Amino acid sequence: MPKQAVIPAGTGIPIAPFVPGSLADGVLYVSGTLPFDAQNNVVHVGDAAAQARHVLTTIQGVVEAAGGSMADVTFNMIMLTDWANYAAINAVYAEFFPGEKPARYCIQCGLVKPDALIEIASIAHIG
């Protein structure tokens, strides 16, 4: 099955050559998602919980545009800039995955824009 780009309505133009999601054979790969508005400005500067909520809501939009739900997410790759934000991010993360949790990893690293505190990439199995 050929891959299909998944671009939810209202999505801004990416800052690099990629699409928000790529669906192939029922597997959705969601690109690394940062706390950006439609003009690629960082939102909720300094607030890790609000940035996490924005990122996860954006991912949810990609998953739903592909015909799935957050319950279909099987793996998340979480990148954060400071371990001091880990608890706040986890509290928001738990709201988006209240039942069976996906597998994941979490690393501390630098991100493409200094005001971004979190980035998440996801894999979901749709259908």
Side-chain angles (χ1 to χ4, degrees):
M1 170 184 233
K3 69 181 177 182
Q4 170 189 348
V6 179
I7 305 170
T11 298
I13 296 171
I15 62 172
F18 66 89
V19 293
S22 183
L23 182 64
D25 204 21
V27 180
L28 174 66
Y29 300 90
V30 181
S31 293
T33 304
L34 291 145
F36 289 172
D37 63 16
Q39 291 75 41
N40 294 313
N41 298 307
V42 176
V43 297
H44 311 295
V45 173
D47 187 339
Q51 285 192 8
R53 185 173 314 285
H54 184 88
V55 165
L56 288 162
T57 299
T58 302
I59 290 169
Q60 184 174 30
V62 176
V63 173
E64 290 175 353
S69 73
M70 292 300 269
D72 297 316
V73 174
T74 55
F75 191 71
N76 287 305
M77 295 136 286
I78 304 168
M79 293 137 287
L80 52 94
T81 59
D82 190 335
W83 287 117
N85 295 323
Y86 187 71
I89 289 167
N90 272 333
V92 173
Y93 182 92
E95 294 173 20
F96 283 81
F97 302 102
E100 192 172 324
K101 310 291 186 242
R104 75 178 209 184
Y105 73 74
C106 185
I107 61 168
Q108 180 180 339
C109 62
L111 298 175
V112 69
K113 289 196 178 183
D115 287 333
L117 303 174
I118 183 171
E119 180 174 354
I120 300 176
S122 302
I123 300 172
H125 288 256
I126 309 295

